[in-house]
């Protein structure tokens, strides 16, 4: 992947409070090896020596090469005067200015080159304003319950996601119908006979190229120049967001618009990809937009759903939107819910499962009604975008076939691991050599031309003619075949990938030659690997299932050729098992994938056992070599996602060994000047609030709570000072802070205070008075479980006197 083809565009805004300094940008261009860590910043990875410092919001802060120590980010003597010997900082007795904070250098291997991602605030700030709101709701007799409104939002998410899915599907179907009908007519006009002499295949070939590169070029240009975050399927970005990592621009309306148009153009252009993966991203955008009751893109506040304007509530709705997107894509409400829980969700509970299921069911029901009416069906049987059709006869299996299914799973795991490894190397090549935006658009067009060229060469050189009547395509092509025959090779290419998968599942035995499926499997395997990573909006599910269905059917044909008496070798059954095995080898999902395939194809529950055997075998074999493609993308882009379990390197460590100390703290009643300068000079997002400060040493104060950067900026912006308390106190509520969510203003928006203005800020009513705290001797694995389970962003470390000892953030758990 290219520089801009990461999970975020590093040239885009990195946060809602963006302050990237010149030093940070320059530091990031270099390859940091070892860094010094100060808890001035949130989520900063650390290593052993003094080369550079990585900040969550601001990139890397290189050290002062002449003095061999990090530059003081607070002006010398601006906040506190005097000098101390910084023994804790391993300064070897060096005298440094006594400005807060002093630096504590730690020796620990970590991800020094991690880009500047932020964390989300999943912890609810239960301050005085929040508690007042809770008490007020108990006294309001006719106020609608928050739980009822939450149900209404989930139902709306399901309906709107389904409508978007229907729109995308209908446009793709109509445009694809026009495209392939035109190509069929072009072929019939230029090559109508079995004898190709005197006729020219070049004209339809040129038409095919033109009808491929034009839509692909349009989609790639939109993704590259308008919204780079829409590249790919979007599932890794949504997964990272649900894990607690802020991915800029991921849930904006403009993102949804570019995603939808990009999917349409890419699928119509014939790239080896599908529209199912991007539907998950689309559902997440819909959920994030509806649940907030306002649009920051159009600067429109509808004054509804104000109680849900925080990261914690928004996260749950995004999960429901992702489930609704999966359900709409596959017509699988149970599978959609399980997919969100197995692959995407990092935090869930029983109530969330129930609401997610309702959103999935509503999404499938809405899509079923709309598409069934569009296709003229009276029984509402059009269940999803990925409609694989029902098998004519129930799929049965014998117990002696179970080892065969397991073997197919092993093959799928090996092919999936090889696909993931090859795709990672191709994307690394792109990242290094294809960095210009124009080059990315050209690359997408070249790959589209490559696919058309390979398809035409395969059609031209392979003679695979079949009698009419069993033709799987809507427009069978006679190309190089006799009358009453159609070209079986062309039937694989002259339709959308979803239709080809359906054909491989349901075509009768003898519909293809062994040579045809062999070459098609090899070509589409390589083509799909090259395609995934282009700057286009495409998913990996369809090409992966198509390759698996092709080699699964191929193996059944080979086995039947060797053992003609083996009547159990139904090609459609083995195509389904091959698709499941290949999907398991690439995606590494098991339960949700098996349920999705069952709901999509309508197979009996008795066939669940062969599917799960193939999927588990593929996952175990693939996991031996590498991770699934989504996790691989997340790792390659250095997103600080937290796994379910801590890494082995943390065993035996304590909080004292990973925490940052001392901490930039703010007194319970502090000067507005000090707060303003702290926000100007450092970029981290959480500040412990302390009292009982000795000799103005805030970093050694007694813990009272924690205050967020966004809260402090709002306080300064609205002048919520003690001196003018009588003016703002009656009108200040928790909604004062929710109104600016999610794009909190920057400290640049705050007017600089005059030196003569001696204002004081009392944080007692704004801070979170009950932050999660641990002791320095607590084990890191136990701390990780607390941090992970509660979705924390900051974890305070306190000593026996309840004074600040250090702070732990997300990146302190990320080893590389």
């Amino acid at each position: 992947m290219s520089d801009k083809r990461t999970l975020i565009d590093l040239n885009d805004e990195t946060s809602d409070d963006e302050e990237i300094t010149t030093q940070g940008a320059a530091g990031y261009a270099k390859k940091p090896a070892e860094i010094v860590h100060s808890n001035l910043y949130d989520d900063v990875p650390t290593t052993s020596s003094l080369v550079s410092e990585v900040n969550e919001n601001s990139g890397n802060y290189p050290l002062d090469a002449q003095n061999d120590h990090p530059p003081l980010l607070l002006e010398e003597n601006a906040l506190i005067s005097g000098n101390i010997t910084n023994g804790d900082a391993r300064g070897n007795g060096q005298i440094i200015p006594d400005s807060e904070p002093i630096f504590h250098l730690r020796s620990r291997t970590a991800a020094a080159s991690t880009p500047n991602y932020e964390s989300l605030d999943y912890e609810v700030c239960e301050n005085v304003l929040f508690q007042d709101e809770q008490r007020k709701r108990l006294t309001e007799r006719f106020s609608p319950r928050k739980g009822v409104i939450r149900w209404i939002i989930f139902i709306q998410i399901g309906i709107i996601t389904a409508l978007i899915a229907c729109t995308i599907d209908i446009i793709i179907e109509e445009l694809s119908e026009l495209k392939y009908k035109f190509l069929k007519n072009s072929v019939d006009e230029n090559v109508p006979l079995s004898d190709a002499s005197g006729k020219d295949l070049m004209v339809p070939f040129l038409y095919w190229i033109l009808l491929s590169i034009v839509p692909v070029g349009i989609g790639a240009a939109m993704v590259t120049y308008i919204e780079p975050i829409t590249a790919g399927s979007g599932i890794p970005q949504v997964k990272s967001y649900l894990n607690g990592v802020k991915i800029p621009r991921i849930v904006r309306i403009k993102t949804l618009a570019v995603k939808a148009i990009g999917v349409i153009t890419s699928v119509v252009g014939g790239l080896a990809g599908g529209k199912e993966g991007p539907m998950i991203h689309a559902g997440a955008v819909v959920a994030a937009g509806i649940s907030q009751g306002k649009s920051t893109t159009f600067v429109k506040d509808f004054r509804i759903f104000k109680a849900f304007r925080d990261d914690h509530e928004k996260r749950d709705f995004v999960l429901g939107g992702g489930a609704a997107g999966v359900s709409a894509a596959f017509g699988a409400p149970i599978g959609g819910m399980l997919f969100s829980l197995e692959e995407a969700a990092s935090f869930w509970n029983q109530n969330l499962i129930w609401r997610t299921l309702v959103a999935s069911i509503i999404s499938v029901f809405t899509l079923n009604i709309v598409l069934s009416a569009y296709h003229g069906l009276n029984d509402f049987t059009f269940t999803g975008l990925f409609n694989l059709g029902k098998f004519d006869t129930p799929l049965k299996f014998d117990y002696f076939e179970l080892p065969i299914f397991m073997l197919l799973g092993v093959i799928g795991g090996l092919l999936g691991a090889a696909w993931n490894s090859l795709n990672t190397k191709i994307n690394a090549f792109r990242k290094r050599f294809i960095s210009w935006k124009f080059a990315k658009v050209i690359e997408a067009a070249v790959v589209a031309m490559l696919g058309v060229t390979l398809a035409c060469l395969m059609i031209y050189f392979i003679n695979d003619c079949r009698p009419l009547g069993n033709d799987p395509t809507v427009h069978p092509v006679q190309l190089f075949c006799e009358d009453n025959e159609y070209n079986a090779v062309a039937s694989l290419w002259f339709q959308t990938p979803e239709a080809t998968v359906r054909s491989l599942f349901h075509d009768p035995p003898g519909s293809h030659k062994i040579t045809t499926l062999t070459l098609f499997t090899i070509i589409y395997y390589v083509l799909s690997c090259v395609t995934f990573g282009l700057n286009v909006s495409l998913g990996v599910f369809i090409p992966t299932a198509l390759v698996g269905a092709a080699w699964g059917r191929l193996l059944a044909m080979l086995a039947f050729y060797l053992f003609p008496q083996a009547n159990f070798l139904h090609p459609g059954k083995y195509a389904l098992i091959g698709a499941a095995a290949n999907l398991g080898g690439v995606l590494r999902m098991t339960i949700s994938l098996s349920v999705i395939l069952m709901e999509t194809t309508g197979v009996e529950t008795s066939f669940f056992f062969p599917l799960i055997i193939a999927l588990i075998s593929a996952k175990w074999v693939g996991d031996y070599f590498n991770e699934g493609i989504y996790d691989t993308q997340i790792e390659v882009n250095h997103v600080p996602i937290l796994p379910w379990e801590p890494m082995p390197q943390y065993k035996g460590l304590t909080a004292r060994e990973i925490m940052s100390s001392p901490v930039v703290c703010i007194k319970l009643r502090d000067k507005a000047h000090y707060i303003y300068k702290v926000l100007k000079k450092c970029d981290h997002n959480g500040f412990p609030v302390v009292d009982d400060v000795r000799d103005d040493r805030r970093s050694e104060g007694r813990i009272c709570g924690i205050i967020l950067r966004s809260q402090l900026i709002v306080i300064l912006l609205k002048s919520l000072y003690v001196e003018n308390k009588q003016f703002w106190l009656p009108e200040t509520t928790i909604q004062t802070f929710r109104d600016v969510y999610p794009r909190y203003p920057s400290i640049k928006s705050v007017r600089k205070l005059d030196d003569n203005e001696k204002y004081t800020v009392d944080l007692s009513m704004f801070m979170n008075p009950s932050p999660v705290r641990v002791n320095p001797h607590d084990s890191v694995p136990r701390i990780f479980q607390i941090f992970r389970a509660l979705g924390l962003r900051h974890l305070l470390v306190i000593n026996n006197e309840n004074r600040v000892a250090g702070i732990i953030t997300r990146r302190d758990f990320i080893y590389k």
Side-chain angles (χ1 to χ4, degrees):
M1 291 180 289
S2 66
D3 295 341
K4 311 294 167 57
R5 171 65 182 92
T6 60
L7 286 183
I8 66 169
D9 185 356
L10 294 181
N11 286 334
D12 282 341
E13 60 181 342
T14 55
S15 71
D16 296 324
D17 178 25
E18 182 184 71
E19 276 192 280
I20 300 185
T21 65
T22 304
Q23 284 184 323
Y28 186 73
K30 300 178 181 179
K31 181 179 180 181
E34 299 175 328
I35 65 173
V36 54
H37 184 77
S38 165
N39 63 306
L40 249 176
Y41 307 105
D42 274 359
D43 312 344
V44 184
T46 60
T47 52
S48 53
S49 69
L50 312 177
V51 178
S52 64
E53 175 162 335
V54 180
N55 175 268
E56 178 184 7
N57 296 336
S58 304
N60 300 343
Y61 284 80
L63 299 179
D64 188 337
Q66 295 179 348
N67 299 326
D68 251 356
H69 64 75
L72 294 176
L73 300 183
L74 297 182
E75 296 176 359
E76 181 176 345
N77 299 325
L79 306 178
I80 306 173
S81 59
N83 295 322
I84 66 165
T85 301
N86 188 3
D88 288 340
R90 302 179 186 175
N92 299 324
Q94 180 183 3
I95 302 300
I96 65 174
D98 181 20
S99 54
E100 291 203 28
I102 56 177
F103 289 83
H104 178 71
L105 312 186
R106 292 185 284 109
S107 177
R108 184 167 64 86
T109 302
S113 59
T114 305
N116 47 342
Y117 293 100
E118 284 189 44
S119 296
L120 293 167
D121 295 306
Y122 284 166
E123 184 182 14
V124 178
C125 180
E126 298 181 350
N127 55 18
V128 173
L129 300 177
F130 178 83
Q131 294 170 359
D132 289 343
E133 181 192 52
Q134 300 299 309
R135 285 190 292 266
K136 182 179 179 181
R137 283 180 180 167
L138 293 176
T139 61
E140 293 178 349
R141 299 181 58 184
F142 300 104
S143 176
R145 296 278 183 179
K146 191 175 180 180
V148 175
I149 299 177
R150 188 180 280 112
W151 279 107
I152 294 174
I153 294 175
F154 271 99
I155 293 173
Q156 290 178 334
I157 290 170
I159 294 174
I160 296 178
T161 301
L163 293 177
I164 293 175
C166 292
T167 304
I168 293 175
D169 182 69
I170 291 172
I171 295 176
I172 288 177
E173 184 171 337
E174 291 296 333
L175 293 179
S176 298
E177 172 78 8
L178 293 175
K179 173 184 175 180
Y180 292 113
K181 185 176 182 179
F182 175 81
L183 291 177
K184 175 191 180 304
N185 294 334
S186 177
V187 170
D188 292 341
E189 290 175 2
N190 289 274
V191 195
L193 304 175
S194 58
D195 184 11
S197 61
K199 298 296 180 179
D200 192 3
L201 188 60
M202 183 58 65
V203 174
F205 170 68
L206 294 177
Y207 278 136
W208 196 353
I209 286 184
L210 182 64
L211 294 176
S212 295
I213 63 174
V214 170
V216 168
I218 293 173
M222 291 188 65
V223 170
T224 304
Y225 289 98
I226 298 178
E227 202 59 83
I229 191 65
T230 58
S233 67
I235 296 178
Q237 293 95 322
V238 174
K239 183 175 181 179
S240 301
Y241 181 90
L242 293 173
N243 188 265
V245 181
K246 181 181 290 186
I247 308 295
R249 314 181 72 88
I250 185 178
V251 289
R252 294 190 180 179
I253 293 179
K254 187 170 72 171
T255 300
L256 176 60
V258 175
K259 193 85 174 183
I261 299 175
V263 169
I264 292 171
T265 54
S266 299
V267 174
V268 171
L271 289 178
K275 56 185 176 291
E276 285 69 25
M279 279 308 306
I280 301 170
H281 190 181
V285 178
V286 170
I290 293 176
S291 63
Q292 302 306 295
K294 70 175 186 178
S295 171
T296 53
T297 300
F298 298 109
V299 196
K300 179 65 176 177
D301 192 341
F302 298 97
R303 303 293 179 183
I304 57 176
F305 308 148
K306 293 183 178 181
F308 303 108
R309 294 179 182 178
D310 60 60
D311 289 336
H312 180 269
E313 293 285 356
K314 193 174 181 179
R315 174 195 67 195
D316 293 347
F317 290 116
V318 168
L319 178 62
V326 178
S327 303
F330 300 105
I334 307 296
M337 180 199 67
L338 291 176
F339 178 90
S340 293
L341 296 181
E342 180 182 8
E343 183 64 19
S346 292
F347 312 95
W348 49 276
N349 53 56
Q350 186 176 10
N351 291 330
L352 182 57
I353 293 174
W354 177 229
R355 297 189 192 102
T356 301
L357 177 61
V358 169
S360 301
I361 293 173
I362 294 295
S363 178
V364 172
F365 179 70
T366 304
L367 182 135
N368 194 349
I369 291 177
V370 175
L371 290 186
S372 296
Y374 171 75
H375 290 281
L377 303 177
N378 297 321
D379 51 358
F380 302 114
T381 56
F382 205 95
T383 55
L385 305 185
F386 188 55
N387 189 2
L388 297 180
K390 310 299 180 183
F391 284 91
D392 296 332
T393 58
L395 293 184
K396 299 179 180 180
F397 68 96
D398 296 311
Y399 290 105
F400 63 81
E401 291 184 84
L402 294 179
I404 301 178
F405 298 149
M406 188 177 297
L407 177 61
L408 292 180
V410 172
I411 295 174
L414 293 174
L415 291 177
W419 193 95
N420 292 353
S421 178
L422 179 60
N423 180 258
T424 303
K425 288 181 172 59
I426 292 174
N427 290 332
F429 176 85
R430 285 191 177 110
K431 184 176 181 179
R432 183 175 180 182
F433 295 104
I434 308 178
S435 57
W436 292 353
K437 291 184 177 182
F438 183 71
K440 296 174 186 178
V441 178
I442 296 298
E443 182 197 14
V446 168
V447 172
M449 293 176 58
L450 176 64
V452 172
T453 304
L454 293 175
C456 284
L457 290 175
M458 186 175 169
I459 293 171
Y460 186 83
F461 287 105
I462 297 180
N463 182 19
D464 190 359
C465 297
R466 301 291 165 178
L468 286 172
N470 294 330
D471 45 289
T473 58
V474 178
H475 303 292
V477 179
Q478 186 184 350
L479 183 68
F480 302 151
C481 294
E482 301 290 345
D483 292 339
N484 297 321
E485 289 184 341
Y486 74 95
N487 192 305
V489 182
S491 68
L492 293 174
W493 294 100
F494 272 48
Q495 57 187 355
T496 59
E498 294 94 331
T500 305
V501 176
R502 185 164 56 248
S503 300
L504 292 173
F505 281 2
H506 301 288
D507 285 354
S511 297
H512 304 91
K513 283 184 177 180
I514 292 179
T515 306
T516 301
L517 284 185
T518 301
L519 289 178
F520 180 79
T521 301
I522 296 173
I523 290 174
Y524 217 85
Y525 182 91
V526 176
L527 202 59
S528 63
C529 194
V530 174
T531 302
F532 192 67
L534 295 175
N535 250 36
V536 294
S537 298
L538 270 184
V540 72
F541 192 98
I542 295 301
T544 304
L546 179 54
V547 171
W551 65 253
R553 189 181 182 96
L554 173 64
L555 292 179
M557 293 169 60
L558 290 172
F560 188 78
Y561 179 79
L562 297 175
F563 306 100
Q565 305 301 323
N567 296 324
F568 63 89
L569 293 171
H570 186 283
K573 175 175 67 176
Y574 281 87
L576 176 59
I577 294 295
N582 208 56
L583 285 167
V586 173
L587 305 181
R588 311 293 163 79
M589 295 186 298
T590 53
I591 301 175
S592 61
L593 200 53
S594 59
V595 173
I596 287 174
L597 290 174
M598 288 182 62
E599 291 184 290
T600 304
T601 57
V603 299
E604 293 70 20
T605 54
S606 60
F607 205 72
F608 180 82
F609 192 51
L611 283 175
I612 202 68
I613 282 181
L615 285 168
I616 291 177
S617 301
K619 176 177 172 56
W620 284 351
V621 172
D623 284 343
Y624 181 80
F625 297 98
N626 49 39
E627 293 182 312
I629 187 60
Y630 299 142
D631 293 325
T632 300
Q633 277 198 315
I634 291 172
E635 183 178 354
V636 166
N637 289 283
H638 304 294
V639 181
I641 190 172
L642 293 180
W644 288 101
E645 299 292 335
M647 294 185 179
Q649 294 93 327
Y650 286 103
K651 292 182 178 179
L653 298 181
T654 62
R656 190 186 305 276
E657 296 172 90
I658 70 167
M659 70 182 186
S660 305
S661 66
V663 188
V664 178
C665 300
I666 298 176
K667 291 192 293 187
L668 188 60
R669 290 175 63 95
D670 216 330
K671 297 296 182 181
H673 273 292
Y674 178 84
I675 296 175
Y676 180 84
K677 289 184 178 180
V678 165
L679 296 177
K680 270 289 190 181
K681 296 298 181 180
C682 61
D683 296 316
H684 68 299
N685 289 276
F687 301 87
V689 180
V690 296
D691 64 0
D692 192 19
V693 176
R694 303 168 182 172
D695 300 327
D696 212 19
R697 298 294 297 169
R698 293 175 176 83
S699 59
E700 298 174 0
R702 185 177 60 192
I703 284 290
C704 297
I706 192 169
I707 190 78
L708 299 179
R709 179 185 190 86
S710 57
Q711 294 173 302
L712 291 174
I713 292 177
V714 172
I715 290 171
L716 296 180
L717 198 61
K718 295 184 177 296
S719 301
L720 305 182
Y721 304 134
V722 175
E723 287 74 11
N724 56 356
K725 192 173 185 179
Q726 67 274 16
F727 299 109
W728 57 261
L729 184 59
E731 301 176 356
T732 301
T733 64
I734 191 67
Q735 199 59 45
T736 304
F737 297 87
R738 288 177 180 161
D739 285 340
V740 294
Y741 178 84
R743 299 188 191 178
Y744 292 111
S746 166
I747 187 61
K748 296 178 182 178
S749 305
V750 180
R751 177 183 62 86
K752 186 175 181 181
L753 296 175
D754 189 90
D755 292 337
N756 296 326
E757 297 177 297
K758 305 298 183 181
Y759 289 121
T760 306
V761 176
D762 188 349
L763 300 177
S764 57
M765 65 184 302
F766 306 114
M767 69 177 183
N768 182 0
S770 53
V772 182
R773 289 163 277 196
V774 296
N775 291 321
H777 59 268
D778 289 348
S779 69
V780 174
R782 177 178 177 273
I783 294 173
F784 178 89
Q785 295 298 338
I786 296 173
F787 197 96
R788 180 70 166 74
L790 298 179
L792 301 179
R793 185 175 187 179
H794 310 95
L795 181 62
L796 298 181
V797 183
I798 62 170
N799 58 23
N800 294 333
E801 298 179 356
N802 197 34
R803 296 185 182 276
V804 185
I807 194 170
I808 296 174
T809 56
R810 169 179 292 265
R811 296 195 191 229
D812 292 317
F813 295 108
I814 305 298
Y815 268 86
K816 294 292 179 184

